[in-house]
């Protein structure tokens, strides 16, 4: 056996440290991130969506038995992955009272609930990154079940996969520094009621909420991108925080290489999508938000929004982008800065 001198030991230690920091020039933390990004798969998204957007869920109208059944399925998945409900809560449900939802609309909606899951941060657990999507749809009309595979089954199942990826990272010792709050919102289709209720009755202080990454319709393509589904609309990322805009650009460039389309980010856009999904109820309180969206297609709010029309390659890449944005928000050294007024 060859004798190793003190200098030799030092050399080996330095080499070992360098090897631990990079593999073929790629930082290990980045390699870890790629591993967790790739844990979000088309096969798992399809398996979940086939259930969430099935006729058995009766179109998931707010407060309906079908929506409750979908909610129970989501909770089963979190239990299966050993992902708990948040600290300070007594279950996976945040009840949203009928009185709250009907105070302005008079629609006679029943009680409903947001569903939440939680991955506690390792270093800054009191700072919260929210990842959201609504799990309601519009129910049954004229005997037809409106399954809402894209709206917003696609976002709903993306949250399951994103939560699973963060939990896998945590189990392997690479969990997020900040906490991740997964929020499945109710009542979005009737007036953003679930997110409005949460933002007014937050489990964690609004001041501790770093950002909201909101996912609503990411499984299809629109007419403007009929030749390629390798895109996503980003809305709101630069309204309150330059840091958030830069993060979205950087992680996409590094990992997913989607075309980031900012058409609907224009404050003068007549569609006003910025105001039409759950992120807006966070932005109203000065929380930076980004909304991932594929645009409107011919099956929007029709009974034909079915699973067999979902483009799972596009859904997967967009869900992976959502994860990557949340990962960076949760793991960067400094909390992102709010440097704009949102107007």
């Amino acid at each position: 056996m060859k004798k190793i001198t003190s200098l030799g030991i030092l050399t080996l230690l330095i080499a070992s440290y360098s090897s631990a920091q990079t593999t073929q020039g790629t930082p290990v933390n980045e390699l870890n991130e790629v591993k967790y990004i790739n844990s979000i798969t088309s096969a798992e998204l399809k398996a979940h969506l086939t259930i969430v957007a099935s006729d058995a869920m009766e179109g998931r109208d707010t407060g309906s038995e079908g929506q409750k059944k979908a909610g129970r399925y989501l909770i089963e998945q979190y239990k299966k992955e050993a992902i708990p409900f948040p600290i300070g809560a007594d279950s996976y449900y945040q009840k949203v009272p009928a009185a709250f939802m009907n105070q302005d609309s008079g629609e006679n909606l029943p009680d409903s609930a947001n569903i939440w899951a939680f991955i506690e941060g390792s270093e800054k657990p009191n700072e919260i990154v929210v990842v959201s999507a609504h799990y309601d749809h519009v129910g049954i009309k004229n005997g037809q079940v409106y399954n809402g595979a894209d709206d917003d089954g696609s976002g709903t199942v993306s949250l399951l996969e994103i939560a699973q990826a963060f939990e896998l990272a945590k189990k392997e010792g690479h969990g997020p520094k900040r906490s991740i709050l997964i929020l499945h919102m109710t009542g979005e289709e009737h007036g953003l009621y679930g997110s409005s209720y949460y933002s007014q009755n937050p489990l964690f202080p609004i001041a501790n909420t770093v950002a909201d990454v909101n996912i609503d319709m990411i499984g299809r393509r629109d007419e403007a991108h009929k030749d390629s589904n390798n895109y996503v609309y980003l809305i709101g990322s630069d309204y309150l925080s330059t840091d958030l805009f830069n993060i979205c650009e950087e992680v996409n460039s590094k990992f997913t290489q989607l075309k980031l389309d900012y058409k609907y980010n224009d404050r003068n856009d007549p569609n006003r999508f910025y105001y039409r999904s759950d992120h807006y109820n966070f932005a109203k309180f000065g929380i930076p938000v980004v909304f991932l969206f594929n645009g409107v297609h011919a099956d929007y709010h029709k009974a034909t929004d079915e699973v067999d029309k979902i483009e799972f390659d596009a859904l997967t890449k967009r869900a992976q982008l959502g994860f990557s944005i949340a990962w960076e928000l949760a793991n960067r050294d400094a909390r992102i800065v709010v440097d704009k007024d949102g107007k």
Side-chain angles (χ1 to χ4, degrees):
M1 183 179 291
K2 183 178 179 181
K3 183 179 180 180
I4 301 178
T5 65
S6 297
L7 179 60
I9 292 172
L10 179 61
T11 302
L12 286 171
L13 286 172
I14 292 170
S16 176
Y17 177 80
S18 298
S19 176
Q21 298 305 300
T22 62
T23 301
Q24 297 181 340
T26 303
V28 164
N29 61 349
E30 191 172 307
L31 290 173
N32 287 332
E33 185 174 354
V34 169
K35 175 182 178 180
Y36 305 129
I37 288 169
N38 289 336
S39 75
I40 298 171
T41 67
S42 296
E44 291 184 357
L45 288 163
K46 186 174 184 178
H48 290 311
L49 189 58
T50 300
I51 294 170
V52 168
S54 67
D55 285 353
M57 303 304 177
E58 301 174 356
R60 307 187 307 278
D61 196 10
T62 299
S64 68
E65 181 53 38
Q67 191 203 26
K68 291 174 184 177
K69 186 174 181 180
R72 290 193 293 269
Y73 176 78
L74 300 176
I75 292 169
E76 286 170 9
Q77 305 316 302
Y78 291 125
K79 288 180 176 178
K80 188 181 297 184
E81 297 292 337
I83 301 172
F85 52 79
I87 294 169
D90 57 10
S91 76
Y92 285 96
Y93 296 102
Q94 182 191 33
K95 182 179 177 181
V96 182
F100 179 86
M101 294 186 287
N102 293 310
Q103 60 188 337
D104 296 321
S105 68
E107 289 187 83
N108 199 31
L109 295 169
D111 290 343
S112 190
N114 295 324
I115 291 173
W116 47 26
F118 191 66
I119 297 95
E120 186 175 13
S122 59
E123 296 181 16
K124 301 177 181 181
N126 294 326
E127 294 186 12
I128 311 297
V129 176
V130 176
V131 186
S132 62
H134 69 93
Y135 74 110
D136 65 310
H137 194 51
V138 298
I140 300 172
K141 298 182 178 182
N142 300 319
Q144 289 188 299
V145 181
Y146 284 56
N147 282 319
D150 193 26
D151 184 16
D152 186 26
S154 61
T156 299
V157 299
S158 294
L159 263 58
L160 290 175
E161 286 290 284
I162 288 169
Q164 181 188 61
F166 273 113
E167 184 64 18
L168 175 62
K170 185 172 183 177
K171 287 174 181 175
E172 295 185 350
H174 305 294
K177 295 177 181 178
R178 295 176 179 83
S179 295
I180 305 295
L181 179 63
I182 301 293
L183 268 179
H184 296 272
M185 303 296 192
T186 190
E188 192 271 355
E189 297 287 8
H190 291 274
L192 314 185
Y193 292 132
S195 55
S196 179
Y197 188 80
Y198 179 84
S199 66
Q200 295 178 50
N201 302 274
L203 184 60
F204 303 101
I206 285 292
N208 291 1
T209 304
V210 173
D212 173 42
V213 180
N214 186 47
I215 303 173
D216 192 350
M217 296 178 60
I218 59 166
R220 298 279 298 274
R221 72 179 78 184
D222 65 3
E223 186 63 24
H225 299 87
K226 61 184 178 180
D227 295 329
S228 174
N229 63 18
N230 193 53
Y231 77 96
V232 67
Y233 292 106
L234 291 189
I235 303 172
S237 64
D238 64 344
Y239 278 29
L240 285 154
S241 175
T242 303
D243 285 341
L244 179 54
F245 173 82
N246 289 337
I247 284 169
C248 295
E249 287 280 336
E250 289 164 7
V251 299
N252 179 64
S253 177
K254 188 178 294 184
F255 300 116
T256 44
Q257 290 92 49
L258 290 159
K259 176 187 176 183
L260 302 184
D261 194 324
Y262 292 100
K263 174 183 177 180
Y264 297 126
N265 197 55
D266 185 343
R267 276 115 167 128
N268 296 317
D269 180 74
N271 294 286
R272 292 174 61 80
F273 288 125
Y274 178 69
Y275 306 94
R276 290 172 53 184
S277 192
D278 290 309
H279 58 276
Y280 181 62
N281 281 316
F282 291 91
K284 286 195 302 186
F285 287 90
I287 298 169
V289 302
V290 59
F291 172 25
L292 280 67
F293 178 52
N294 56 216
V296 174
H297 46 72
D299 300 301
Y300 173 67
H301 276 206
K302 293 183 180 178
T304 48
D305 182 7
E306 296 280 12
V307 174
D308 61 5
K309 294 184 179 179
I310 295 294
E311 299 182 53
F312 284 96
D313 57 340
L315 172 55
T316 302
K317 287 190 72 172
R318 294 162 183 162
Q320 290 173 341
L321 176 60
F323 170 79
S324 299
I325 295 168
W327 176 277
E328 179 62 24
L329 287 166
N331 286 301
R332 72 197 322 257
D333 291 335
R335 175 176 171 168
I336 62 169
V337 175
V338 177
D339 59 353
K340 297 182 179 182
D341 62 11
K343 297 179 182 178

